[in-house]
Amino acid sequence: MPGERKFKLRRLDETRWEIPMVGGMRVPGLIFSDSSLLPDIEKDNSCEQVYNVAHMPGIVSNSIALPDIHWGYGFPIGGVAAFDLDQGVVSPGGVGYDINCGVRLATTGLAREDVIPRIKDLVDSLYSAIPSGLGSTGKIRLNRKALSEVVLSGAGWAIKQGMGDGSDLEHIEDHGRVTGAESKSISDRAFERGKDQLGTLGSGNHFVEIGFIDEIFESEVAESWGLFPGQVTLMIHSGSRGFGYQVCDEFLARMIKNMAKEKIELPDRQLACTRINSPQGKEYLSAMAGAANFAFANRQILMNLAKEVWERSMGLSPRELRLHLLYDVSHNIAKIEDHIVNGKQVKLCVHRKGATRALPPFHPLLPQRYLKSGQPVLIPGDMGRCSFILVGAEGAMSQTFGSACHGAGRVLSRNEALKRTKGRFIEQELQDHNIYARSAGRKTMREEFPEAYKDVSSVVEVVHKAGLARKVACIKPMGVIKG
Amino acid sequence: MNQQTLPWKLLEHPADIRIEVHGKNVEQIFLNSASAMTSIITGTDEHLEKLSVKIFFLQSDSLQDLLVDWLRELLFLFTVERFVFCDAFLKIDETTAIEARVRGYFMEFPDQFRDGVEIKGITYHGLLLEKTCDGFVAQVIFDV
C-alpha cells in the first residue's frame, strides 16, 4: 500500500486522470483508466511511479500511464515517457530488463472446428519442441561472431537461415530490426548469457497460445487484414532473454554511478539515466537496439518452430496451414521518433515500458499493408479469458506519443496468486472451459491463473473510449504453453 | 520453502518479487540475501553437496550497491555457469568492497528446478539496507 502521497489525482473525464504538477515535477502525470480499474491502481505504488517519472530531465508533455498500469521498478509497467533529445535522458529502467519483450500474432487458414479435435496433440507437440521454463536452452548455439550478426540483423537473420519468409519483415515493427546496434556496445557477459537462449520462450508470463477469433468489432479492418470469425491464430509472447537482461543490468549499474557526476537527482534510483546525447546514452541506445534485435530474431525463430511442429502434428502442408504473420510489436523499448509537440514536429526519445506502439492510418512508419487501416495493436489478456486485436488511432498520436496498453496488467502478486489457488488444479479448471494448457514451471499455472490479472476487456475498453486504438477483434484461447 | 525458519520473507509486490532479509551483521545480510535469491530461483532450500568454489572480489560506491552487485554476480554465475550458491565466506571491507569465497554446485540438467522462478535482474527500486536495534535489515526487489 502506498504511504502518504505528495500529490492528488484529479479526474479529467471518463478515461483520464491527472497528477497536477507539484514539487519537482517537470510535467503533469496523465493516467488512462476508468472508475472500475482505478481502485486496483490505487492499491499499489504505480501512481507514485508516474509522479516520479515526471521529475526526469527533459521529459515532454506528460508522464503517461495506460490502463494496464501496475507497480514496476522505477517506471510503472504500462508507462510511457518521451524526452527531448538535447536536454532529455534515456533510462534503462524505463525500458526494462526484458528489452523488446513483445508479442506477435499469426493467422492461419484453419477454422476452430479443424483444430478442436487435435488441440491436445498440438499443444503437447509444441510443448515438447519449444524450449520453455527456467534454465531452458535452445538448439541454436552461436559463437560471438555469429551472435553479433543476429544483434545487427534482428528477425532478418532468422529468415536468412530459412526460418520464415522474407515478407514477414514487413509485418514486424521496424521491419524486425532496430537501427544503430553495434556489437562493440555489448559486453562479453551479455553474449555469454544469451549464447544458448535464441529460440527459447522463457518463463513466467511468456507464452505460446493457440486461439480463435471469437468476435469481430470492425469488419472492414478485419477483412482487410484477412481475419474471419472462428479463424485459428497463434500468439507468441517472449523477449530478449538473458541477453537483454544483462544489457539492462550493466547499463543501469553504470548509470547509477554516473548520476552524481551528471548532477541528476531523482526520487528513485531505479530511474537512473543519462543524457541521450552523452557517449553513455548513445552506447546504451546502441546496446539496447542489439538486444531488441535479439528479441525480434527470437520471436521469428519461435514462430517458425511452431509452424513446423503444427504442420507435422496435424499433417498439413504449408499451404493448408497458411500461417501468416499479422504483426509483431515491442513492449519494452526506447525509440527516437517524430512527434508533434505544441504544434511543432520534434524528435523525441519515447520510452515504452509495458506499452505498445499504436500508429494511426497514414503514419509514415507504417508498412504499405497497414497504411490505410493503421497498425494492428495486439493486446494479450490472461490465459482463461480473451485477447484483443486493435487498430492504432489518431488519439494515440495526440495523447500518448503513439502508444496503447500492452496487456491486462497483474492485479495479484505471485505470492497472493499461490495462496488463492492452494489446492486448485488450474489446468483442469481451464480444460473445463475447453482450454488445454501446459507449463514448464510447476507453480506457473497457479501464479498465472486468470484472476491474477485485470479483465483485459475493461482495460481495452478504456483504450478504445480514449481514442488511442479501436477494437477490431477478440481472440479466445484454445491451447496454451506457459514458460 | 518453510518461511517460519528462514531469516527472510516475501513481501507483497504485484508484478515482481520483493524480499525482506534480517541478519545480526552485514555479512549475514549478504549471506541471507543470497540464500533467499537461491531459494527463489531454484524453488528449494535443499541442496546438493557443495563441491565447487568460486572466488571473486567486488567493489561498489556504497554498502547498498555492494549488496546489489553481490547478488548480480551470483545471478550471473547461476544463469551462465549453472552454479548454485550454497554458502560463502565473506570479507566485507568497511562499506564498499567484498572478497567472497562461495561454495556451491553446478546444476545437473537444465530444467532441474521446475519450482524455480527466473530472476531477470536485481533492481535498485525500494532498495534498503539499514541498522536496526538488534542487527540489520535489507529489502530487495527482483524483476521476474
Side-chain angles (χ1 to χ4, degrees):
Chain A
M1 288 289 284
E4 196 177 326
R5 280 181 165 165
K6 294 173 184 158
F7 58 86
K8 281 185 179 165
L9 282 183
R10 187 167 75 92
R11 186 175 179 155
L12 298 177
D13 56 32
E14 197 188 353
T15 56
R16 298 182 309 154
W17 270 258
E18 185 189 50
I19 302 176
M21 289 210 315
V22 288
M25 288 173 79
R26 295 168 193 258
V27 293
L30 180 62
I31 298 170
F32 288 81
S33 188
D34 68 11
S35 47
S36 73
L37 293 169
L38 198 69
D40 278 331
I41 293 172
E42 295 232 72
K43 274 185 201 160
D44 65 30
N45 286 324
S46 45
C47 292
E48 279 66 18
Q49 294 188 314
V50 177
Y51 162 84
N52 289 345
V53 170
H55 290 72
M56 296 178 77
I59 186 167
V60 174
S61 297
N62 290 295
S63 165
I64 298 162
L66 295 158
D68 51 341
I69 177 182
H70 56 276
W71 186 13
Y73 42 88
F75 277 59
I77 313 293
V80 177
F83 296 86
D84 172 81
L85 293 195
D86 293 327
Q87 303 298 318
V89 290
V90 62
S91 169
V95 171
Y97 286 90
D98 196 355
I99 295 167
N100 190 11
C101 179
V103 165
R104 63 168 47 195
L105 181 82
T107 57
T108 70
L110 306 179
R112 185 187 177 203
E113 297 71 34
D114 301 328
V115 177
I116 285 176
R118 310 288 294 274
I119 192 70
K120 284 190 181 179
D121 286 346
L122 177 57
V123 169
D124 288 343
S125 303
L126 289 168
Y127 178 76
S128 301
I130 295 175
S132 60
L134 179 80
S136 56
T137 55
K139 284 186 181 160
I140 301 168
R141 307 288 167 98
L142 302 176
N143 60 25
R144 181 173 174 137
K145 193 178 168 208
L147 205 47
S148 294
E149 283 298 311
V150 177
V151 162
L152 299 180
S153 308
W157 177 87
I159 288 167
K160 213 168 153 188
Q161 312 302 312
M163 292 179 273
D165 190 274
S167 64
D168 289 346
L169 294 179
E170 203 200 352
H171 304 140
I172 305 175
E173 191 167 316
D174 294 318
H175 294 85
R177 176 180 174 266
V178 178
T179 54
E182 288 186 286
S183 59
K184 68 178 184 192
S185 312
I186 299 166
S187 72
D188 289 343
R189 282 195 155 199
F191 279 98
E192 271 291 305
R193 206 165 159 185
K195 71 181 176 193
D196 54 7
Q197 296 201 337
L198 261 185
T200 65
L201 188 63
S203 62
N205 65 356
H206 290 158
F207 64 80
V208 172
E209 182 183 295
I210 309 286
F212 67 96
I213 295 191
D214 182 55
E215 192 175 354
I216 285 183
F217 304 98
E218 272 203 39
S219 52
E220 199 177 320
V221 175
E223 263 175 46
S224 75
W225 292 353
L227 308 179
F228 58 85
Q231 182 180 28
V232 173
T233 57
L234 169 74
M235 199 185 307
I236 295 171
H237 179 216
S238 188
S240 51
R241 312 288 294 109
F243 189 88
Y245 311 163
Q246 191 67 25
V247 168
C248 175
D249 180 72
E250 289 173 11
F251 277 92
L252 194 59
R254 283 168 61 186
M255 287 185 199
I256 278 197
K257 288 190 202 311
N258 259 0
M259 292 266 283
K261 276 186 215 158
E262 290 203 41
K263 294 183 181 157
I264 298 172
E265 282 183 31
L266 292 169
D268 181 354
R269 296 178 76 216
Q270 187 71 21
L271 296 173
C273 52
T274 189
R275 306 280 169 192
I276 296 163
N277 56 15
S278 69
Q280 197 176 54
K282 289 174 184 165
E283 194 184 354
Y284 169 70
L285 284 170
S286 166
M288 185 216 68
N293 292 340
F294 185 102
F296 280 135
N298 191 37
R299 290 197 289 275
Q300 183 69 30
I301 293 164
L302 289 169
M303 185 179 86
N304 190 65
L305 195 52
K307 176 179 176 282
E308 288 176 354
V309 171
W310 200 332
E311 286 166 2
R312 215 168 37 241
S313 167
M314 287 186 62
L316 299 170
S317 69
R319 243 179 123 168
E320 288 166 321
L321 178 60
R322 293 216 318 268
L323 191 83
H324 294 306
L325 182 58
L326 181 74
Y327 212 52
D328 179 311
V329 295
S330 306
H331 288 166
N332 291 356
I333 203 142
K335 282 188 176 167
I336 310 296
E337 295 174 348
D338 289 312
H339 289 276
I340 306 288
V341 178
N342 298 327
K344 283 185 187 166
Q345 182 168 317
V346 286
K347 281 203 185 299
L348 301 172
C349 181
V350 181
H351 291 59
R352 295 190 182 92
K353 166 87 171 286
T356 312
R357 197 155 80 170
L359 301 179
F362 302 108
H363 190 284
L365 292 179
L366 283 173
Q368 190 62 34
R369 186 180 177 198
Y370 302 127
L371 201 58
K372 280 189 187 166
S373 61
Q375 176 199 314
V377 179
L378 315 172
I379 312 295
D382 59 75
M383 62 182 163
R385 284 175 279 193
C386 60
S387 299
F388 283 87
I389 307 173
L390 290 87
V391 61
E394 202 51 58
M397 295 311 291
S398 57
Q399 301 181 84
T400 57
F401 300 103
S403 314
C405 64
H406 84 309
R410 279 195 83 95
V411 72
L412 296 182
S413 70
R414 285 171 167 78
N415 208 25
E416 184 62 26
L418 289 176
K419 277 186 207 163
R420 292 207 193 173
T421 55
K422 199 168 183 186
R424 285 169 61 180
F425 185 37
I426 302 302
E427 286 92 331
Q428 187 58 52
E429 291 179 21
L430 290 168
Q431 212 161 323
D432 292 343
H433 292 88
N434 300 315
I435 302 162
Y436 182 59
R438 293 197 62 175
S439 69
R442 273 193 286 252
K443 290 189 293 191
T444 306
M445 279 292 155
R446 289 172 54 210
E447 287 175 344
E448 292 287 314
F449 85 119
E451 291 79 3
Y453 287 85
K454 295 176 198 173
D455 181 354
V456 73
S457 302
S458 308
V459 170
V460 160
E461 204 55 41
V462 172
V463 167
H464 182 89
K465 279 185 184 160
L468 307 179
R470 300 189 315 277
K471 290 192 288 184
V472 173
C474 172
I475 298 172
K476 287 210 166 154
M478 301 164 72
V480 183
I481 294 157
K482 281 276 185 184
Chain B
M1 286 180 269
N2 178 5
Q3 294 220 358
Q4 300 282 315
T5 57
L6 298 174
W8 62 276
K9 62 180 179 184
L10 292 171
L11 300 178
E12 282 302 300
H13 192 288
D16 296 315
I17 291 182
R18 187 178 180 208
I19 58 165
E20 182 173 285
V21 183
H22 293 268
K24 282 184 185 162
N25 51 43
V26 170
E27 280 79 5
Q28 274 198 357
I29 287 287
F30 276 59
L31 290 171
N32 294 341
S33 300
S35 296
M37 185 176 77
T38 305
S39 179
I40 291 162
I41 52 184
T42 61
T44 178
D45 292 311
E46 290 168 14
H47 292 291
L48 302 175
E49 203 179 338
K50 309 159 193 85
L51 295 172
S52 299
V53 173
K54 295 272 175 189
I55 296 169
F56 55 85
F57 177 83
L58 299 167
Q59 186 146 28
S60 308
D61 290 343
S62 70
L63 195 56
Q64 281 193 358
D65 288 2
L66 190 64
L67 177 61
V68 172
D69 288 342
W70 154 248
L71 295 174
R72 289 171 67 217
E73 190 65 24
L74 294 177
L75 183 63
F76 181 82
L77 289 172
F78 177 77
T79 53
V80 172
E81 297 187 23
R82 319 267 182 228
F83 178 78
V84 183
F85 166 91
C86 288
D87 62 22
F89 175 74
L90 303 178
K91 269 206 279 188
I92 297 177
D93 164 23
E94 293 297 317
T95 58
T96 62
I98 188 170
E99 197 182 313
R101 187 181 165 84
V102 181
R103 294 199 303 164
Y105 63 96
F106 292 95
M107 276 169 75
E108 289 178 313
F109 45 92
D111 59 350
Q112 183 175 350
F113 300 119
R114 288 192 61 210
D115 284 333
V117 175
E118 183 181 53
I119 291 179
K120 295 173 185 168
I122 322 298
T123 79
Y124 294 86
H125 178 60
L127 179 64
L128 175 90
L129 200 172
E130 61 186 26
K131 208 169 179 347
T132 60
C133 53
D134 57 350
F136 286 82
V137 64
Q139 287 182 4
V140 183
I141 295 176
F142 302 117
D143 180 29
V144 297

